Amino acid sequence: MGNSIYTIFMPREAFSRRKNAELVSNALNQLDIPSSVNERHDIVVDNHKVSGSAYKITSSRAYHHGTMLIDADTETLKGCLSKKRMNNTGIVSKGVESVPSPVTNLRDYSFTVDHQQFCESVLAEFVDSYNDGIPVEPIIIDNNTDLPNKVKETRQELQTWDWVYGQTPEFTNTVETELNWGNTKAIINSKHGKIIKADITTNHTLLHEPTIAAAISVALEGLPYSRFAVDEAIRKIKLEVPGLINSDNEHISKSISEWLEKKL
């Protein structure tokens, strides 16, 4: 993929976004690549980003996760990150929004740089910055490596729903459409991967449509935010309020489900 990944983790009190970024930037300078750290703590070469970062800070630990563009297909990368290709119309998030920036590869500044050189240079800077210059022996992990139990436990944790979705920042998704029985609008509020409030309304004046829409709204609360949430809400209604959804009005719940499945 032409992209290297690195992680620096340390006690929270020792953590500094700028210091970690400068560590990696200094490693690039040792490879004769003129990098620097800008005011957003991005690692840049000629004002083009070569690295993106994400952070997780707990009560005792801090994690700095970063990428390094060595020889990636930047045109494909730009296409994947383009807001024009993101179907997020109607979503308002309380998360930290990414700031679009021009990017470049290290290979544009060095014909010889590769993943191994990058790793060795970062390791050397880490030793100087955090280990008083005392050499460390890197641990090489491959498919045959017998991982420590703690690593295995962490790998399992990273595959759980709570880790993948449970820390998602709060956001609101507002969508509207014309169904065959009237205009329908849904406002779905989600936090930590769960729906905390839902409001599905319709301009239809008869009994069945607004009643089923309101029932689905109530049933959605507390469910995981996913494309299958409405189906789960309908099953919940049928279990807890038998007869509310029946052969006379089931087409209403089905149309709401088919619509929101494409929007959640």
Side-chain angles (χ1 to χ4, degrees):
M1 294 178 62
N3 179 57
S4 294
I5 299 172
Y6 62 90
T7 299
I8 302 173
F9 61 96
M10 60 184 61
R12 179 173 182 173
E13 61 270 16
F15 175 71
S16 165
R17 285 179 171 83
R18 173 160 288 277
K19 185 174 181 179
N20 284 346
E22 288 176 343
L23 182 154
V24 178
S25 179
N26 291 339
L28 296 182
N29 282 304
Q30 292 300 317
L31 297 173
D32 294 325
I33 297 173
S35 73
S36 59
V37 178
N38 65 17
E39 66 280 356
R40 291 182 50 81
H41 305 143
D42 295 327
I43 301 171
V44 298
V45 179
D46 286 344
N47 291 320
H48 284 61
K49 283 181 66 172
V50 293
S51 176
S53 294
Y55 309 93
K56 178 177 175 59
I57 301 175
T58 68
S59 59
S60 60
R61 288 282 178 180
Y63 303 80
H64 175 176
H65 177 76
T67 60
M68 183 57 64
L69 296 174
I70 294 180
D71 191 21
D73 183 346
T74 54
E75 290 305 312
T76 299
L77 176 64
K78 291 173 186 176
C80 292
L81 298 178
S82 171
K83 289 188 175 181
K84 294 179 181 179
R85 296 185 59 178
M86 296 182 184
N87 184 23
N88 61 356
T89 303
I91 294 181
V92 178
S93 175
K94 293 186 178 181
V96 179
E97 186 173 357
S98 296
V99 177
S101 302
V103 299
T104 190
N105 280 308
L106 300 186
R107 191 62 61 81
D108 293 334
Y109 297 86
S110 170
F111 291 114
T112 59
V113 67
D114 58 16
H115 172 75
Q116 187 66 30
Q117 286 186 345
F118 171 70
C119 291
E120 291 175 354
S121 190
V122 170
L123 177 60
E125 285 296 323
F126 184 87
V127 166
D128 287 342
S129 298
Y130 293 109
N131 209 46
D132 296 327
I134 302 172
V136 297
E137 185 68 26
I139 299 174
I140 308 299
I141 297 176
D142 58 27
N143 291 334
N144 298 319
T145 303
D146 185 18
L147 299 174
N149 288 334
K150 186 62 178 177
V151 174
K152 294 178 182 178
E153 292 172 7
T154 301
R155 180 173 61 186
Q156 292 176 347
E157 179 189 2
L158 296 180
Q159 296 172 341
T160 63
W161 187 93
D162 281 340
W163 178 270
V164 177
Y165 301 107
Q167 300 182 57
T168 304
E170 183 176 352
F171 67 90
T172 301
N173 189 3
T174 302
V175 291
E176 189 170 0
T177 193
E178 290 290 337
L179 297 176
N180 57 12
W181 39 266
N183 178 272
T184 307
K185 182 177 183 180
I187 303 174
I188 312 292
N189 186 226
S190 175
K191 183 177 182 180
H192 296 163
K194 295 288 184 71
I195 296 173
I196 58 177
K197 184 175 177 56
D199 186 20
I200 304 173
T201 57
T202 175
N203 65 353
H204 205 289
T205 57
L206 297 181
L207 177 63
H208 287 304
E209 287 77 3
T211 299
I212 298 301
I216 293 175
S217 298
V218 173
L220 279 171
E221 295 184 9
L223 296 180
Y225 181 98
S226 80
R227 57 193 293 256
F228 306 111
V230 177
D231 286 340
E232 180 62 30
I234 292 171
R235 285 192 289 269
K236 186 177 174 183
I237 293 170
K238 290 180 176 180
L239 180 65
E240 297 179 357
V241 192
L244 180 61
I245 296 177
N246 52 59
S247 58
D248 292 332
N249 59 33
E250 196 163 28
H251 67 283
I252 301 170
S253 60
K254 184 177 180 181
S255 60
I256 293 176
S257 174
E258 290 174 347
W259 165 49
L260 289 181
E261 182 178 342
K262 301 173 184 177
K263 299 296 182 180
L264 297 183

PDB file of all heavy atoms in Angstrom, residues 212-239:
ATOM      1  N   ILE A 212     -47.499   4.112  13.553  1.00  0.00           N
ATOM      2  CA  ILE A 212     -46.390   3.183  13.330  1.00  0.00           C
ATOM      3  C   ILE A 212     -45.057   3.930  13.370  1.00  0.00           C
ATOM      4  O   ILE A 212     -44.075   3.456  13.953  1.00  0.00           O
ATOM      5  CB  ILE A 212     -46.551   2.449  11.994  1.00  0.00           C
ATOM      6  CG1 ILE A 212     -47.829   1.614  11.996  1.00  0.00           C
ATOM      7  CG2 ILE A 212     -45.339   1.571  11.719  1.00  0.00           C
ATOM      8  CD1 ILE A 212     -47.901   0.577  13.092  1.00  0.00           C
ATOM      9  N   ALA A 213     -45.032   5.131  12.785  1.00  0.00           N
ATOM     10  CA  ALA A 213     -43.795   5.924  12.801  1.00  0.00           C
ATOM     11  C   ALA A 213     -43.388   6.258  14.233  1.00  0.00           C
ATOM     12  O   ALA A 213     -42.208   6.162  14.602  1.00  0.00           O
ATOM     13  CB  ALA A 213     -43.979   7.200  11.981  1.00  0.00           C
ATOM     14  N   ALA A 214     -44.356   6.645  15.054  1.00  0.00           N
ATOM     15  CA  ALA A 214     -44.068   6.986  16.452  1.00  0.00           C
ATOM     16  C   ALA A 214     -43.609   5.753  17.228  1.00  0.00           C
ATOM     17  O   ALA A 214     -42.696   5.828  18.058  1.00  0.00           O
ATOM     18  CB  ALA A 214     -45.297   7.602  17.106  1.00  0.00           C
ATOM     19  N   ALA A 215     -44.240   4.604  16.961  1.00  0.00           N
ATOM     20  CA  ALA A 215     -43.864   3.374  17.667  1.00  0.00           C
ATOM     21  C   ALA A 215     -42.441   2.956  17.332  1.00  0.00           C
ATOM     22  O   ALA A 215     -41.669   2.545  18.208  1.00  0.00           O
ATOM     23  CB  ALA A 215     -44.848   2.256  17.308  1.00  0.00           C
ATOM     24  N   ILE A 216     -42.074   3.073  16.062  1.00  0.00           N
ATOM     25  CA  ILE A 216     -40.698   2.741  15.664  1.00  0.00           C
ATOM     26  C   ILE A 216     -39.717   3.704  16.312  1.00  0.00           C
ATOM     27  O   ILE A 216     -38.628   3.309  16.748  1.00  0.00           O
ATOM     28  CB  ILE A 216     -40.561   2.765  14.124  1.00  0.00           C
ATOM     29  CG1 ILE A 216     -41.379   1.624  13.514  1.00  0.00           C
ATOM     30  CG2 ILE A 216     -39.106   2.655  13.708  1.00  0.00           C
ATOM     31  CD1 ILE A 216     -41.412   1.620  11.992  1.00  0.00           C
ATOM     32  N   SER A 217     -40.096   4.978  16.418  1.00  0.00           N
ATOM     33  CA  SER A 217     -39.224   5.970  17.066  1.00  0.00           C
ATOM     34  C   SER A 217     -38.892   5.557  18.494  1.00  0.00           C
ATOM     35  O   SER A 217     -37.736   5.579  18.918  1.00  0.00           O
ATOM     36  CB  SER A 217     -39.901   7.346  17.072  1.00  0.00           C
ATOM     37  OG  SER A 217     -40.142   7.820  15.775  1.00  0.00           O
ATOM     38  N   VAL A 218     -39.909   5.164  19.237  1.00  0.00           N
ATOM     39  CA  VAL A 218     -39.716   4.767  20.634  1.00  0.00           C
ATOM     40  C   VAL A 218     -38.873   3.492  20.709  1.00  0.00           C
ATOM     41  O   VAL A 218     -37.963   3.370  21.530  1.00  0.00           O
ATOM     42  CB  VAL A 218     -41.071   4.561  21.335  1.00  0.00           C
ATOM     43  CG1 VAL A 218     -40.871   3.986  22.732  1.00  0.00           C
ATOM     44  CG2 VAL A 218     -41.836   5.878  21.409  1.00  0.00           C
ATOM     45  N   ALA A 219     -39.180   2.536  19.838  1.00  0.00           N
ATOM     46  CA  ALA A 219     -38.486   1.249  19.881  1.00  0.00           C
ATOM     47  C   ALA A 219     -37.021   1.358  19.480  1.00  0.00           C
ATOM     48  O   ALA A 219     -36.198   0.530  19.880  1.00  0.00           O
ATOM     49  CB  ALA A 219     -39.197   0.244  18.977  1.00  0.00           C
ATOM     50  N   LEU A 220     -36.671   2.361  18.703  1.00  0.00           N
ATOM     51  CA  LEU A 220     -35.281   2.539  18.268  1.00  0.00           C
ATOM     52  C   LEU A 220     -34.357   2.942  19.418  1.00  0.00           C
ATOM     53  O   LEU A 220     -33.155   2.626  19.395  1.00  0.00           O
ATOM     54  CB  LEU A 220     -35.201   3.600  17.169  1.00  0.00           C
ATOM     55  CG  LEU A 220     -35.543   3.147  15.741  1.00  0.00           C
ATOM     56  CD1 LEU A 220     -35.630   4.347  14.819  1.00  0.00           C
ATOM     57  CD2 LEU A 220     -34.513   2.161  15.220  1.00  0.00           C
ATOM     58  N   GLU A 221     -34.881   3.625  20.406  1.00  0.00           N
ATOM     59  CA  GLU A 221     -34.047   4.156  21.486  1.00  0.00           C
ATOM     60  C   GLU A 221     -33.378   3.018  22.261  1.00  0.00           C
ATOM     61  O   GLU A 221     -34.024   2.071  22.694  1.00  0.00           O
ATOM     62  CB  GLU A 221     -34.884   5.034  22.413  1.00  0.00           C
ATOM     63  CG  GLU A 221     -35.396   6.290  21.716  1.00  0.00           C
ATOM     64  CD  GLU A 221     -36.157   7.222  22.644  1.00  0.00           C
ATOM     65  OE1 GLU A 221     -36.153   6.980  23.867  1.00  0.00           O
ATOM     66  OE2 GLU A 221     -36.757   8.192  22.133  1.00  0.00           O
ATOM     67  N   GLY A 222     -32.049   3.116  22.369  1.00  0.00           N
ATOM     68  CA  GLY A 222     -31.267   2.114  23.078  1.00  0.00           C
ATOM     69  C   GLY A 222     -30.680   1.049  22.180  1.00  0.00           C
ATOM     70  O   GLY A 222     -29.819   0.271  22.614  1.00  0.00           O
ATOM     71  N   LEU A 223     -31.111   1.007  20.916  1.00  0.00           N
ATOM     72  CA  LEU A 223     -30.583   0.009  19.990  1.00  0.00           C
ATOM     73  C   LEU A 223     -29.272   0.484  19.370  1.00  0.00           C
ATOM     74  O   LEU A 223     -29.028   1.689  19.259  1.00  0.00           O
ATOM     75  CB  LEU A 223     -31.595  -0.267  18.875  1.00  0.00           C
ATOM     76  CG  LEU A 223     -32.933  -0.896  19.286  1.00  0.00           C
ATOM     77  CD1 LEU A 223     -33.810  -1.095  18.059  1.00  0.00           C
ATOM     78  CD2 LEU A 223     -32.710  -2.211  20.009  1.00  0.00           C
ATOM     79  N   PRO A 224     -28.415  -0.445  18.946  1.00  0.00           N
ATOM     80  CA  PRO A 224     -27.188  -0.050  18.241  1.00  0.00           C
ATOM     81  C   PRO A 224     -27.539   0.686  16.949  1.00  0.00           C
ATOM     82  O   PRO A 224     -28.489   0.308  16.247  1.00  0.00           O
ATOM     83  CB  PRO A 224     -26.497  -1.388  17.946  1.00  0.00           C
ATOM     84  CG  PRO A 224     -27.045  -2.331  18.955  1.00  0.00           C
ATOM     85  CD  PRO A 224     -28.468  -1.903  19.181  1.00  0.00           C
ATOM     86  N   TYR A 225     -26.779   1.726  16.629  1.00  0.00           N
ATOM     87  CA  TYR A 225     -26.988   2.481  15.394  1.00  0.00           C
ATOM     88  C   TYR A 225     -26.426   1.656  14.243  1.00  0.00           C
ATOM     89  O   TYR A 225     -25.215   1.460  14.131  1.00  0.00           O
ATOM     90  CB  TYR A 225     -26.273   3.831  15.478  1.00  0.00           C
ATOM     91  CG  TYR A 225     -26.457   4.702  14.251  1.00  0.00           C
ATOM     92  CD1 TYR A 225     -27.424   5.703  14.240  1.00  0.00           C
ATOM     93  CD2 TYR A 225     -25.660   4.541  13.125  1.00  0.00           C
ATOM     94  CE1 TYR A 225     -27.602   6.511  13.133  1.00  0.00           C
ATOM     95  CE2 TYR A 225     -25.836   5.341  12.013  1.00  0.00           C
ATOM     96  CZ  TYR A 225     -26.799   6.329  12.009  1.00  0.00           C
ATOM     97  OH  TYR A 225     -26.973   7.127  10.900  1.00  0.00           O
ATOM     98  N   SER A 226     -27.305   1.143  13.399  1.00  0.00           N
ATOM     99  CA  SER A 226     -26.868   0.353  12.257  1.00  0.00           C
ATOM    100  C   SER A 226     -27.983   0.312  11.229  1.00  0.00           C
ATOM    101  O   SER A 226     -29.126   0.710  11.503  1.00  0.00           O
ATOM    102  CB  SER A 226     -26.510  -1.078  12.665  1.00  0.00           C
ATOM    103  OG  SER A 226     -27.677  -1.876  12.800  1.00  0.00           O
ATOM    104  N   ARG A 227     -27.680  -0.180  10.049  1.00  0.00           N
ATOM    105  CA  ARG A 227     -28.666  -0.264   8.978  1.00  0.00           C
ATOM    106  C   ARG A 227     -29.786  -1.243   9.311  1.00  0.00           C
ATOM    107  O   ARG A 227     -30.839  -1.235   8.675  1.00  0.00           O
ATOM    108  CB  ARG A 227     -27.982  -0.657   7.664  1.00  0.00           C
ATOM    109  CG  ARG A 227     -27.212  -1.951   7.719  1.00  0.00           C
ATOM    110  CD  ARG A 227     -26.305  -2.114   6.498  1.00  0.00           C
ATOM    111  NE  ARG A 227     -27.064  -2.279   5.283  1.00  0.00           N
ATOM    112  CZ  ARG A 227     -27.217  -3.453   4.663  1.00  0.00           C
ATOM    113  NH1 ARG A 227     -26.652  -4.534   5.162  1.00  0.00           N
ATOM    114  NH2 ARG A 227     -27.916  -3.538   3.560  1.00  0.00           N
ATOM    115  N   PHE A 228     -29.548  -2.087  10.315  1.00  0.00           N
ATOM    116  CA  PHE A 228     -30.559  -3.064  10.701  1.00  0.00           C
ATOM    117  C   PHE A 228     -31.372  -2.610  11.916  1.00  0.00           C
ATOM    118  O   PHE A 228     -32.193  -3.369  12.437  1.00  0.00           O
ATOM    119  CB  PHE A 228     -29.900  -4.407  11.012  1.00  0.00           C
ATOM    120  CG  PHE A 228     -29.022  -4.914   9.905  1.00  0.00           C
ATOM    121  CD1 PHE A 228     -27.648  -4.973  10.071  1.00  0.00           C
ATOM    122  CD2 PHE A 228     -29.569  -5.314   8.699  1.00  0.00           C
ATOM    123  CE1 PHE A 228     -26.832  -5.436   9.047  1.00  0.00           C
ATOM    124  CE2 PHE A 228     -28.762  -5.783   7.667  1.00  0.00           C
ATOM    125  CZ  PHE A 228     -27.394  -5.847   7.845  1.00  0.00           C
ATOM    126  N   ALA A 229     -31.160  -1.385  12.373  1.00  0.00           N
ATOM    127  CA  ALA A 229     -31.807  -0.915  13.603  1.00  0.00           C
ATOM    128  C   ALA A 229     -33.325  -0.916  13.499  1.00  0.00           C
ATOM    129  O   ALA A 229     -34.022  -1.290  14.448  1.00  0.00           O
ATOM    130  CB  ALA A 229     -31.297   0.476  13.957  1.00  0.00           C
ATOM    131  N   VAL A 230     -33.861  -0.486  12.354  1.00  0.00           N
ATOM    132  CA  VAL A 230     -35.323  -0.414  12.231  1.00  0.00           C
ATOM    133  C   VAL A 230     -35.933  -1.814  12.243  1.00  0.00           C
ATOM    134  O   VAL A 230     -36.981  -2.036  12.855  1.00  0.00           O
ATOM    135  CB  VAL A 230     -35.719   0.355  10.957  1.00  0.00           C
ATOM    136  CG1 VAL A 230     -37.241   0.359  10.799  1.00  0.00           C
ATOM    137  CG2 VAL A 230     -35.215   1.794  11.025  1.00  0.00           C
ATOM    138  N   ASP A 231     -35.286  -2.768  11.587  1.00  0.00           N
ATOM    139  CA  ASP A 231     -35.785  -4.144  11.614  1.00  0.00           C
ATOM    140  C   ASP A 231     -35.831  -4.670  13.051  1.00  0.00           C
ATOM    141  O   ASP A 231     -36.790  -5.346  13.454  1.00  0.00           O
ATOM    142  CB  ASP A 231     -34.898  -5.057  10.767  1.00  0.00           C
ATOM    143  CG  ASP A 231     -35.112  -4.844   9.273  1.00  0.00           C
ATOM    144  OD1 ASP A 231     -36.171  -4.292   8.907  1.00  0.00           O
ATOM    145  OD2 ASP A 231     -34.231  -5.220   8.485  1.00  0.00           O
ATOM    146  N   GLU A 232     -34.791  -4.344  13.826  1.00  0.00           N
ATOM    147  CA  GLU A 232     -34.758  -4.767  15.225  1.00  0.00           C
ATOM    148  C   GLU A 232     -35.859  -4.073  16.016  1.00  0.00           C
ATOM    149  O   GLU A 232     -36.500  -4.674  16.889  1.00  0.00           O
ATOM    150  CB  GLU A 232     -33.387  -4.460  15.822  1.00  0.00           C
ATOM    151  CG  GLU A 232     -33.224  -4.860  17.279  1.00  0.00           C
ATOM    152  CD  GLU A 232     -33.379  -6.358  17.494  1.00  0.00           C
ATOM    153  OE1 GLU A 232     -33.057  -7.135  16.570  1.00  0.00           O
ATOM    154  OE2 GLU A 232     -33.849  -6.748  18.580  1.00  0.00           O
ATOM    155  N   ALA A 233     -36.102  -2.799  15.719  1.00  0.00           N
ATOM    156  CA  ALA A 233     -37.168  -2.057  16.396  1.00  0.00           C
ATOM    157  C   ALA A 233     -38.538  -2.670  16.094  1.00  0.00           C
ATOM    158  O   ALA A 233     -39.408  -2.772  16.973  1.00  0.00           O
ATOM    159  CB  ALA A 233     -37.133  -0.590  15.974  1.00  0.00           C
ATOM    160  N   ILE A 234     -38.749  -3.073  14.850  1.00  0.00           N
ATOM    161  CA  ILE A 234     -40.032  -3.689  14.471  1.00  0.00           C
ATOM    162  C   ILE A 234     -40.229  -5.010  15.196  1.00  0.00           C
ATOM    163  O   ILE A 234     -41.331  -5.316  15.694  1.00  0.00           O
ATOM    164  CB  ILE A 234     -40.085  -3.878  12.936  1.00  0.00           C
ATOM    165  CG1 ILE A 234     -40.149  -2.512  12.247  1.00  0.00           C
ATOM    166  CG2 ILE A 234     -41.284  -4.730  12.538  1.00  0.00           C
ATOM    167  CD1 ILE A 234     -39.994  -2.561  10.746  1.00  0.00           C
ATOM    168  N   ARG A 235     -39.162  -5.823  15.297  1.00  0.00           N
ATOM    169  CA  ARG A 235     -39.252  -7.081  16.054  1.00  0.00           C
ATOM    170  C   ARG A 235     -39.583  -6.805  17.518  1.00  0.00           C
ATOM    171  O   ARG A 235     -40.354  -7.526  18.156  1.00  0.00           O
ATOM    172  CB  ARG A 235     -37.951  -7.874  15.933  1.00  0.00           C
ATOM    173  CG  ARG A 235     -37.767  -8.558  14.587  1.00  0.00           C
ATOM    174  CD  ARG A 235     -36.620  -9.546  14.621  1.00  0.00           C
ATOM    175  NE  ARG A 235     -35.331  -8.860  14.704  1.00  0.00           N
ATOM    176  CZ  ARG A 235     -34.616  -8.509  13.648  1.00  0.00           C
ATOM    177  NH1 ARG A 235     -35.065  -8.762  12.419  1.00  0.00           N
ATOM    178  NH2 ARG A 235     -33.464  -7.903  13.793  1.00  0.00           N
ATOM    179  N   LYS A 236     -38.992  -5.742  18.040  1.00  0.00           N
ATOM    180  CA  LYS A 236     -39.239  -5.345  19.433  1.00  0.00           C
ATOM    181  C   LYS A 236     -40.700  -4.962  19.642  1.00  0.00           C
ATOM    182  O   LYS A 236     -41.328  -5.347  20.639  1.00  0.00           O
ATOM    183  CB  LYS A 236     -38.302  -4.169  19.759  1.00  0.00           C
ATOM    184  CG  LYS A 236     -38.300  -3.711  21.195  1.00  0.00           C
ATOM    185  CD  LYS A 236     -37.255  -2.597  21.338  1.00  0.00           C
ATOM    186  CE  LYS A 236     -37.274  -1.977  22.711  1.00  0.00           C
ATOM    187  NZ  LYS A 236     -36.307  -0.844  22.811  1.00  0.00           N
ATOM    188  N   ILE A 237     -41.260  -4.223  18.689  1.00  0.00           N
ATOM    189  CA  ILE A 237     -42.669  -3.812  18.788  1.00  0.00           C
ATOM    190  C   ILE A 237     -43.581  -5.034  18.737  1.00  0.00           C
ATOM    191  O   ILE A 237     -44.534  -5.160  19.527  1.00  0.00           O
ATOM    192  CB  ILE A 237     -43.017  -2.833  17.651  1.00  0.00           C
ATOM    193  CG1 ILE A 237     -42.260  -1.517  17.834  1.00  0.00           C
ATOM    194  CG2 ILE A 237     -44.528  -2.567  17.603  1.00  0.00           C
ATOM    195  CD1 ILE A 237     -42.353  -0.588  16.635  1.00  0.00           C
ATOM    196  N   LYS A 238     -43.309  -5.939  17.815  1.00  0.00           N
ATOM    197  CA  LYS A 238     -44.149  -7.132  17.678  1.00  0.00           C
ATOM    198  C   LYS A 238     -44.116  -7.997  18.927  1.00  0.00           C
ATOM    199  O   LYS A 238     -45.115  -8.651  19.270  1.00  0.00           O
ATOM    200  CB  LYS A 238     -43.696  -7.939  16.463  1.00  0.00           C
ATOM    201  CG  LYS A 238     -44.003  -7.276  15.128  1.00  0.00           C
ATOM    202  CD  LYS A 238     -43.530  -8.128  13.959  1.00  0.00           C
ATOM    203  CE  LYS A 238     -43.923  -7.501  12.630  1.00  0.00           C
ATOM    204  NZ  LYS A 238     -43.468  -8.315  11.472  1.00  0.00           N
ATOM    205  N   LEU A 239     -42.978  -7.992  19.615  1.00  0.00           N
ATOM    206  CA  LEU A 239     -42.844  -8.777  20.830  1.00  0.00           C
ATOM    207  C   LEU A 239     -43.540  -8.104  22.013  1.00  0.00           C
ATOM    208  O   LEU A 239     -44.228  -8.758  22.809  1.00  0.00           O
ATOM    209  CB  LEU A 239     -41.364  -9.004  21.150  1.00  0.00           C
ATOM    210  CG  LEU A 239     -41.037  -9.810  22.409  1.00  0.00           C
ATOM    211  CD1 LEU A 239     -41.543 -11.251  22.261  1.00  0.00           C
ATOM    212  CD2 LEU A 239     -39.531  -9.794  22.690  1.00  0.00           C
TER     213      LEU A 239
END
